[in-house]
Amino acid sequence: MLALLDAWFIAPFDYGFMQRALVAGLALSLAAPALGVFLMLRGMSLIGDAMSHAILPGVALGFLFAGFSLPMMSLGGILSGLLVAVLAGSVSQMTGHREDSAMASFFLISLAAGVMMVSLAGNSVDLTHVLFGSILAVDSTALLLIAGIASLIVVSLAVIFRALVVECLDPLFLRGQGVRGGLVHGVFLGLVVLNLTAGFQTLGTLMAVGLMMLPATTARFWSNRLEGLIVIAIGVAMVASAGGLLLSYHLSLPSGPAIILMAGVAYVLSALFGRQHSLAARFRRRAAPLEAPTPSS
């Protein structure tokens, strides 16, 4: 039994590429789910998906100028994501359209432009790598970059945590305290862009948002407290990262999709059996006997 457990859960991580992939996945799992929780609370879940596509033109430009140079591609992705966020906010303010509508329009433009640039400069293998990533190919340079960005996100969230919570719940109160809600919102979107840029190397631009949003939405079925949501989401992301890597190793599956599918399985199971808002919780409420009214004296 112990030998079987070792062969399935321990031995795969004897290889250097699996160790680096695991550390990269765990680093992203510390930073991404907390951002996903705040996106969910702010009703901006699909904004994360839009931002993941917004970084693609910058990644493609970095690829055009320097090939598969992670620093150049990451810098391009950061600049591209921030530019799209600024443009979407500006269009929303000037025209009165909702910010999510403007963001959706720009992300479609960004996705088409990025795919076009990578296709013209490379081949189908290059396009697949950019769109879907390759966590098993993470080297020491990429690992340091991912860990550095994840650490920056965690520290930044700790600094703006209270202001971010208040901005989600009561923006007018935050403004009354002399703190500009727009500044907090801008910093938060910048952290989202940073996280997606760190994740594109491992999960690709199409699925980097998966490790951000799926654990966050899964946690919603288990807790109503903000601290509980964040802790549960981080735990789900870590288990999905390690479990997805093990599945990809033993079953010869693509590693990125395996990680996201593991998080997806956790979401489906939580939707069925979770403590809060799940199908099982609804049945428990219906089956609970009504308390008999106490007779009046």
Side-chain angles (χ1 to χ4, degrees), residues 107-284:
F107 104 73
L108 290 170
I109 298 171
S110 301
L111 177 61
V115 170
M116 183 68 70
M117 284 188 285
V118 176
S119 299
L120 291 176
N123 51 46
S124 59
V125 175
D126 299 329
L127 181 60
T128 300
H129 179 81
V130 171
L131 292 179
F132 299 104
S134 180
I135 193 171
L136 296 180
V138 170
D139 56 16
S140 299
T141 302
L143 187 58
L144 288 174
L145 182 62
I146 292 170
I149 291 178
S151 300
L152 177 62
I153 291 172
V154 170
V155 172
S156 300
L157 276 178
V159 172
I160 68 170
F161 183 81
R162 295 186 65 180
L164 191 57
V165 172
V166 176
E167 200 261 338
C168 288
L169 302 178
D170 193 349
L172 294 179
F173 175 80
L174 186 69
R175 190 179 306 170
Q177 299 300 309
V179 180
R180 294 178 56 189
L183 177 61
V184 177
H185 182 70
V187 171
F188 175 70
L189 286 183
L191 295 178
V192 172
V193 171
L194 278 175
N195 179 80
L196 293 172
T197 304
F200 94 86
Q201 170 68 11
T202 57
L203 300 172
T205 56
L206 290 185
M207 287 188 293
V209 71
L211 204 59
M212 182 188 299
M213 294 311 308
L214 278 173
T217 53
T218 299
R220 189 67 182 87
F221 293 109
W222 297 99
S223 178
N224 285 326
R225 295 179 57 85
L226 178 59
E227 298 85 352
L229 290 173
I230 293 175
V231 171
I232 293 172
I234 290 174
V236 170
M238 287 184 168
V239 172
S241 296
L245 286 173
L246 289 171
L247 278 181
S248 70
Y249 178 86
H250 290 295
L251 303 180
S252 300
L253 299 173
S255 52
I259 291 173
I260 302 305
L261 283 176
M262 282 288 290
V265 169
Y267 173 80
V268 172
L269 292 177
S270 298
L272 292 174
F273 306 110
R275 293 177 56 193
Q276 309 283 344
H277 315 293
S278 67
L279 190 62
R282 180 173 297 181
F283 283 140
R284 286 194 297 267

Side-chain angles (χ1 to χ4, degrees), residues 2 13 21 40 57 66 69 79 119 131 154 172 229 250 296-297:
L2 291 177
F13 295 110
M40 180 181 65
S69 170
L79 295 177
S119 299
L131 292 179
V154 170
L172 294 179
L229 290 173
H250 290 295
S296 57
S297 56

